[in-house]
Each structure stands twice: as C-alpha cells, then as structure tokens.
Amino acid sequence: MAVLRRMARRGQGDEVRDDPLDAAQERRVRAVLALGGVPQADLPDGVQQVRLRLLERAADGREAPRDVSAWAAVVASNLAMDWHRAKRRQERVGERLASLRQLEHPSGEDTSVLSLAVAQGLDELPDAQRQVLVLRFYADLPVRSIAEELGVPEGTVKSRLHTAVRALRARLHEDEVV
C-alpha cells in the first residue's frame, strides 16, 4: 500500500519515482525472460508486466510477497511460458498458411551451435520442467524458494529438475554438441 501512496503523490506533482522493482530485481527479471526464450525486443514489455502484477497485487490489498525477487522471477518465468505458448500458436497458424500458399520458410540465422542446441532443448521440455530449470539455474533460486513460489513440494521441484537436466543432457549428446 505504501507503494500506491507514493505513486499517488507522484501524480500530485511530486517528482517521486518509486519503482516496485529495484535494479537488481529488474536485471533478474530480464535474465529470466531472456533465458526463457523471450526475444530482446520484448524484454521491456515483460519487465513492465511483472511491475504491473506487483502493483495490482498491492492495489487488491494482498500483502507483499515475502521475497519480491523470487516472486518476480517466478512471474517472469510464467510470462516466458505464456510467450512460448503464444509463439507456438502463431507458428501453427503460420505453418497452415504457408502450406496453403506453398511457401518455403528461409532458415538462416547465424547462431552458435551450442546456444541453438540448448535453446531447442529447452523448447522441447515440458513447461513445468523448463520453468524449474530456468528458475534454478538461470534465476539462481534455491529449490525451497521455487517450491514455495510455485506452490509445490520441494521433492516435486527436485524431480522436475532431475528429469529436465537429464533430458537436456541427452539432447545435447544426441546432437553431438557436447
């Protein structure tokens, strides 16, 4: 609520700039989004979505998350999953249109083999496994925080991590990248 009061003061002519995310939290959110596969151009929108959800939470009278940084990373991870779902829907529509028009899609982005293989491997993981993998290894959240934020037991997080790492490792060996 204090954030909303300060924002209200800002609207009254004060030059108070009070961001619900500090610089370190914003960097973490950007990293989670980027590692979740969200393109650079969409990162500012993703960060704004996290801010908006934090402000909406305060406006609804709900108490602030115990660990805003962990909460923001989980929200960013969920946003990245939503982005992938929307991207898949768009790709399916595009494929249908392309097959109707019998167009060929050019494929020629210059990316490193390892980055491409990891990105493809992450993309092939089920959403729940990709989410815990990104939160654990890219957002650097401990298993306990991930479990609390997702509302699942720690054992479930550990199991999903183990399965995701094993699948990603197999994919990299299969593609002879590592």
Side-chain angles (χ1 to χ4, degrees):
M1 293 309 249
V3 170
L4 293 177
R5 282 193 294 273
R6 286 186 293 253
M7 289 182 68
R9 274 189 278 138
R10 182 179 347 150
Q12 297 172 354
D14 290 352
E15 289 299 319
V16 175
R17 183 176 186 277
D18 207 10
D19 194 338
L21 294 177
D22 65 29
Q25 292 164 338
E26 182 176 335
R27 282 192 303 275
R28 181 181 240 180
V29 166
R30 283 180 169 278
V32 169
L33 290 169
L35 293 166
V38 176
Q40 279 300 117
D42 293 338
L43 293 181
D45 290 337
V47 172
Q48 286 301 89
Q49 282 292 321
V50 173
R51 280 189 180 101
L52 178 63
R53 291 190 185 174
L54 189 58
L55 291 171
E56 286 172 342
R57 183 181 177 106
D60 290 343
R62 291 180 280 167
E63 61 183 68
R66 276 184 274 155
D67 183 353
V68 173
S69 188
W71 180 89
V74 170
V75 171
S77 175
N78 288 334
L79 287 171
M81 287 190 336
D82 291 345
W83 184 87
H84 278 285
R85 288 184 192 116
K87 179 182 166 198
R88 283 188 209 124
R89 280 192 300 272
Q90 288 174 344
E91 287 173 352
R92 285 193 299 266
V93 169
E95 288 169 3
R96 280 186 240 141
L97 289 173
S99 67
L100 291 174
R101 294 181 190 149
Q102 297 179 352
L103 295 175
E104 289 185 4
H105 294 288
S107 61
E109 285 193 49
D110 234 4
T111 58
S112 75
V113 174
L114 181 59
S115 296
L116 184 60
V118 169
Q120 287 174 341
L122 281 172
D123 211 26
E124 291 175 3
L125 291 175
D127 290 339
Q129 290 178 11
R130 182 182 329 103
Q131 184 179 34
V132 295
L133 192 84
V134 168
L135 290 172
R136 177 65 188 107
F137 296 111
Y138 293 110
D140 201 30
L141 291 179
V143 170
R144 174 172 282 147
S145 293
I146 296 169
E148 287 173 3
E149 292 299 327
L150 295 178
V152 298
E154 286 183 45
T156 301
V157 173
K158 290 176 184 178
S159 173
R160 289 177 184 171
L161 276 171
H162 176 77
T163 304
V165 168
R166 191 175 62 218
L168 190 57
R169 185 177 294 133
R171 166 65 192 238
L172 295 175
H173 284 293
E174 179 182 298
D175 290 348
E176 296 181 0
V177 176
V178 290

